[in-house]
Amino acid sequence: AGFADLIVYPNPTNGVLNINFGTSSDKKVISIFDAQGKLIKSEIVTTNLAQINVSDLAEGTYFMKITNGSQLTVKRITVVN
């Protein structure tokens, strides 16, 4: 299960990651993990469009987990400097 209308862009990114949930405006938790599974940052979002600043992250691959309690999805994101 996941978010049917989810769009994450730009990917790769060097600054702000835009997350568009389509029509979903319920509360969501967005967590970003590094390749070793360590939690890097987490934010609670209550709108259908979120922005996460990743310019402070080192270059590499990260995993973004998004959940609203009943749905869960994981997206791979790439940070470039």
Side-chain angles (χ1 to χ4, degrees):
F3 296 89
D5 300 329
L6 181 69
I7 302 170
V8 178
Y9 62 96
N11 190 11
T13 184
N14 64 353
V16 174
L17 200 57
N18 297 288
I19 305 153
N20 188 331
F21 294 98
T23 58
S24 172
S25 60
D26 53 350
K27 184 172 115 174
K28 296 163 281 290
V29 178
I30 300 173
S31 306
I32 296 180
F33 297 87
D34 66 13
Q36 287 75 42
K38 179 182 169 197
L39 178 64
I40 304 296
K41 59 174 64 186
S42 184
E43 293 191 24
I44 295 173
V45 176
T46 56
T47 60
N48 64 341
L49 182 62
Q51 293 187 318
I52 307 275
N53 188 337
V54 295
S55 62
D56 57 329
L57 300 184
E59 195 166 278
T61 299
Y62 296 85
F63 295 92
M64 182 172 57
K65 182 175 93 171
I66 303 168
T67 182
N68 65 0
S70 61
Q71 293 177 297
L72 168 69
T73 192
V74 177
K75 293 280 188 188
R76 182 162 56 185
I77 58 171
T78 304
V79 174
V80 294
N81 294 329

